[in-house]
Amino acid sequence: MSPNASSSGSPLLPFLENFSWDACFSYPWDTIPGLLEPITNGRTPHRRPLKAVSIYCYETNFEITLSYIPKEVIKRLSNFSGVKFEFVFDSYRTEKLGIDWLKASLESLDEGKEEATAAI
């Protein structure tokens, strides 16, 4: 389900200011623009007053593969200068902590990597 949809037809969380997500698996990156783009509440377009989006992924004792943030999503996020984005990954297995996942995704694009995922 997209962040704009709900079973009742009303937008989900129309007054959301801070979105935070913590889990031991990759976030579905294509849902973030839906949190930021205007939603329709009745006939009036409405933009959530979102101030911050925090995504924290972590690995404990098993190897996981995280998807880089897709180029299309990064482009769409760049349109929202008033929102703070913090995307972090910690790998306790490899002792790589505090990896900036947005920066890593941008670097992968700069390097021309065609891979959609990266093993940390």
Side-chain angles (χ1 to χ4, degrees), residues 2 4 26 28 31 53 55 57 64 68 70-71 73 76 79 95 99 103-104 117 120:
S2 78
N4 289 340
S26 189
T31 64
V53 176
I55 306 294
C57 302
I64 63 172
Y68 282 121
K71 179 180 179 178
V73 172
R76 291 170 70 188
N79 294 327
E95 298 181 8
I99 297 167
K103 181 179 175 184
T117 61
I120 301 291

Side-chain angles (χ1 to χ4, degrees), residues 1-68:
M1 183 183 301
S2 78
N4 289 340
S6 75
S7 59
S8 68
S10 298
L12 293 174
L13 308 171
F15 301 107
L16 182 69
E17 290 187 5
N18 297 292
F19 178 78
S20 181
W21 185 85
D22 295 4
C24 62
F25 51 89
S26 189
Y27 184 80
W29 298 112
D30 58 342
T31 64
I32 292 175
L35 292 170
L36 299 161
E37 293 170 345
I39 55 177
T40 303
N41 192 355
R43 294 183 180 198
T44 307
H46 171 75
R47 181 168 148 12
R48 290 179 182 90
L50 206 59
K51 297 176 183 173
V53 176
S54 174
I55 306 294
Y56 173 64
C57 302
Y58 56 91
E59 171 199 61
T60 53
N61 59 357
F62 56 92
E63 185 174 341
I64 63 172
T65 301
L66 288 179
S67 297
Y68 282 121

Side-chain angles (χ1 to χ4, degrees), residues 18 24 29 42 73 76-77 82 88-89 93 96 101 103-105:
N18 297 292
C24 62
W29 298 112
V73 172
R76 291 170 70 188
L77 295 181
V88 177
F89 177 70
R93 182 183 53 83
K96 293 181 183 179
W101 203 238
K103 181 179 175 184
S105 296

